[in-house]
Amino acid sequence: AEVAQSLRDRGKTDADFGTTAQVTTRADILAEKEVGSEPAPPAAGGDSEKPEGRIVGILKRNWREYAGTLRPLHEERQKELAGGNAAKADRTFIPLDARVPNVRIATRHSSNLEGMRIVVVIDSWDRDSPNPKGHWVRILGPVGERDTESKVILHEHGVITREFSDAVLKCLPAADYYPSEEEIASRKDLRDRIVCSIDPPGCKDIDDALHCRVLENGNWEVGVHIADVSHYVKPDTAIDEEAQQRCTTVYLVEKRTDMLPSLLTTDLCSLVGHRDRLCFSCLWEVKPDTAEIVNVEFCKALICSSGALTYYQAQAMHDDPNDKSELTESIRRLTIIARKMRAARNANGALELASSEVKFEMDSETHDPTDVKEYQKVEMMKVIEEFM
């Protein structure tokens, strides 16, 4: 009965598969019988309680927009299309994603799409065809140009590049925002601590900072401070929903795509030097000789960083025997604790995975990359890694 029904259904148009084949062969009938057969009994010694199933249909395909190029035409055909022929030309689209088959498209703009990165959507896929059908929706730009290839990378990885909507921007505080007296009173005031941030050169969104001071009992207080983004991004608001869709800030060689508007990422939620900033803080009381944690406190706090340093600036301060400033002494104490914590982890069998980090040198005018170099590793990188 299933075979008969299948044969009656042949020739119908399916929204997902397109038009099915008209010719029925013995192989088709056998395939239908196999689909309609009962599931095979479990193998000897197998788990008879294990659930089994079979695919009986596709409700919805997980299709998306694909970036790629058209397969080049031979020279005579190119001349014919360039001569003003208004008829639709059948072209083959080659997606950048090698897991996706080539897509057949028909277009009157064939000559305009030659040598371009374009975006194509799939419309249908006939059951008897190895290739789906689709149509192009937009041009990203000429193949090989930096801006074009950057758009392709972002598109293929699903990175959202649209501008922030008015609804999102309305969620932002004023550019000159400063916390109210009530907000300050509700937090632990740590502005007397000698706090600093240590990041790669050129970092603008400084989201963490540290300090280490000597307590009256001889123990050390270690503080890790993380920018309090949740103070500005409230649950279920437009800016919260946008951030959920974007997930993270994405960096390319010459540009970045922010998860949140720049007022937050590079200003109010960036722990820049000599500016009061809201944060979440974790405070440890540790024994300096063993790095044993005696007490822990988590709190919402207010800090004022004494400086936004690079790894290399902090390392130079640490290594300078003549530098006895409070900030430098704080960095040295952090280094001592980090060494002891790392040694204890390694003694307990911790696995360290190291990989090289590279940086690109850019042309000051064109912003094109001119060279790639490996970051010089300094101990400050491991210090920050340990506390984060």
Side-chain angles (χ1 to χ4, degrees), residues 5 34 60 112 118 133 172 185 188 197 209 213 238 255 262 284 287 290 305 316-317 333 339 386-387:
Q5 182 61 45
E34 183 177 353
K60 182 180 180 181
N112 297 330
I118 64 174
K133 296 178 181 178
L172 296 174
K188 192 177 185 71
S197 60
R213 66 167 185 157
K255 67 168 66 173
S262 60
W284 291 289
K287 294 181 178 180
T290 62
S305 174
M317 294 169 64
R333 286 189 289 269
R339 288 171 181 170
E386 199 66 39
F387 286 110

Side-chain angles (χ1 to χ4, degrees), residues 290-292 339-352 386:
T290 62
E292 177 188 351
R339 288 171 181 170
K340 294 181 183 295
M341 293 170 64
R342 190 181 314 116
R345 282 195 306 103
N346 291 337
N348 289 326
L351 176 65
E352 288 198 25
E386 199 66 39

Side-chain angles (χ1 to χ4, degrees), residues 40 44 57 100 118 144 156 191 215-216 239 251 283 303 371 388:
V100 180
I118 64 174
E156 284 299 286
R191 286 177 289 182
L215 300 176
E216 292 181 357
I239 193 170
Y251 296 86
L283 304 176
I303 66 169
D371 196 8
M388 291 305 112

Side-chain angles (χ1 to χ4, degrees), residues 105-125:
I105 68 171
T107 176
R108 291 188 173 89
H109 302 277
S110 178
S111 58
N112 297 330
L113 302 180
E114 204 69 45
M116 295 288 181
R117 295 285 192 202
I118 64 174
V119 175
V120 162
V121 295
I122 294 176
D123 299 321
S124 63
W125 196 338

Side-chain angles (χ1 to χ4, degrees), residues 249-307:
T249 296
V250 178
Y251 296 86
L252 295 183
V253 174
E254 81 290 358
K255 67 168 66 173
R256 52 182 280 170
T257 301
D258 287 322
M259 182 179 75
L260 294 168
S262 60
L263 176 63
L264 297 183
T265 57
T266 62
D267 189 357
L268 297 179
C269 294
S270 185
L271 307 182
V272 295
H274 311 292
R275 300 284 296 276
D276 292 351
R277 288 292 182 258
L278 304 177
C279 63
F280 280 104
S281 296
C282 177
L283 304 176
W284 291 289
E285 182 182 343
V286 300
K287 294 181 178 180
D289 52 342
T290 62
E292 177 188 351
I293 298 175
V294 178
N295 189 35
V296 180
E297 179 185 0
F298 295 93
C299 60
K300 288 188 174 184
L302 181 69
I303 66 169
C304 182
S305 174
S306 297

Side-chain angles (χ1 to χ4, degrees), residues 76-141:
E76 292 183 2
R77 182 59 173 155
Q78 287 184 14
K79 290 180 179 179
E80 177 184 344
L81 294 175
N85 189 347
K88 282 188 175 182
D90 292 327
R91 301 296 303 269
T92 299
F93 170 78
I94 305 175
L96 266 74
D97 189 341
R99 299 169 298 179
V100 180
N102 294 345
V103 182
R104 296 173 294 163
I105 68 171
T107 176
R108 291 188 173 89
H109 302 277
S110 178
S111 58
N112 297 330
L113 302 180
E114 204 69 45
M116 295 288 181
R117 295 285 192 202
I118 64 174
V119 175
V120 162
V121 295
I122 294 176
D123 299 321
S124 63
W125 196 338
D126 292 349
R127 183 178 297 187
D128 60 340
S129 173
N131 301 104
K133 296 178 181 178
H135 67 279
W136 70 278
V137 292
R138 66 179 180 277
I139 298 175
L140 297 178

Side-chain angles (χ1 to χ4, degrees), residues 21-319:
Q22 299 295 322
V23 179
T24 303
T25 66
R26 180 171 178 78
D28 293 328
I29 297 175
L30 291 175
E32 295 287 355
K33 287 182 177 179
E34 183 177 353
V35 169
S37 62
E38 293 297 326
D47 184 2
S48 60
E49 299 300 321
K50 185 177 181 180
E52 296 181 357
R54 57 193 176 94
I55 299 172
V56 297
I58 299 174
L59 298 179
K60 182 180 180 181
R61 291 185 179 271
N62 192 25
W63 286 336
R64 62 176 178 85
E65 295 183 345
Y66 301 98
T69 55
L70 296 182
R71 177 179 290 164
L73 295 172
H74 57 79
E75 187 175 350
E76 292 183 2
R77 182 59 173 155
Q78 287 184 14
K79 290 180 179 179
E80 177 184 344
L81 294 175
N85 189 347
K88 282 188 175 182
D90 292 327
R91 301 296 303 269
T92 299
F93 170 78
I94 305 175
L96 266 74
D97 189 341
R99 299 169 298 179
V100 180
N102 294 345
V103 182
R104 296 173 294 163
I105 68 171
T107 176
R108 291 188 173 89
H109 302 277
S110 178
S111 58
N112 297 330
L113 302 180
E114 204 69 45
M116 295 288 181
R117 295 285 192 202
I118 64 174
V119 175
V120 162
V121 295
I122 294 176
D123 299 321
S124 63
W125 196 338
D126 292 349
R127 183 178 297 187
D128 60 340
S129 173
N131 301 104
K133 296 178 181 178
H135 67 279
W136 70 278
V137 292
R138 66 179 180 277
I139 298 175
L140 297 178
V143 173
E145 289 194 0
R146 184 195 66 196
D147 289 345
T148 300
E149 302 305 329
S150 293
K151 291 177 182 177
V152 169
I153 292 172
L154 295 172
H155 178 276
E156 284 299 286
H157 288 83
V159 179
I160 297 174
T161 58
R162 61 175 177 259
E163 296 292 330
F164 289 103
S165 66
D166 291 339
V168 171
L169 298 178
K170 287 179 181 178
C171 297
L172 296 174
D176 59 350
Y177 172 83
Y178 188 81
S180 65
E181 292 297 327
E182 293 79 7
E183 180 63 36
I184 294 174
S186 68
R187 293 174 176 262
K188 192 177 185 71
D189 194 340
L190 301 178
R191 286 177 289 182
D192 60 330
R193 310 302 202 266
I194 307 300
V195 175
C196 72
S197 60
I198 304 176
D199 292 286
C203 180
K204 294 181 179 179
D205 45 349
I206 304 170
D207 53 10
D208 55 75
L210 305 96
H211 84 268
C212 185
R213 66 167 185 157
V214 180
L215 300 176
E216 292 181 357
N217 62 3
N219 290 339
W220 292 355
E221 179 190 78
V222 176
V224 175
H225 315 280
I226 307 298
D228 185 2
V229 183
S230 64
H231 178 76
Y232 305 97
V233 180
K234 302 302 182 184
D236 301 323
T237 58
I239 193 170
D240 177 46
E241 293 173 357
E242 183 75 11
Q244 290 182 47
Q245 293 180 28
R246 296 183 179 234
C247 297
T248 185
T249 296
V250 178
Y251 296 86
L252 295 183
V253 174
E254 81 290 358
K255 67 168 66 173
R256 52 182 280 170
T257 301
D258 287 322
M259 182 179 75
L260 294 168
S262 60
L263 176 63
L264 297 183
T265 57
T266 62
D267 189 357
L268 297 179
C269 294
S270 185
L271 307 182
V272 295
H274 311 292
R275 300 284 296 276
D276 292 351
R277 288 292 182 258
L278 304 177
C279 63
F280 280 104
S281 296
C282 177
L283 304 176
W284 291 289
E285 182 182 343
V286 300
K287 294 181 178 180
D289 52 342
T290 62
E292 177 188 351
I293 298 175
V294 178
N295 189 35
V296 180
E297 179 185 0
F298 295 93
C299 60
K300 288 188 174 184
L302 181 69
I303 66 169
C304 182
S305 174
S306 297
L309 308 176
T310 67
Y311 292 130
Y312 309 108
Q313 289 173 331
Q315 191 67 51
M317 294 169 64
H318 175 277
D319 297 342

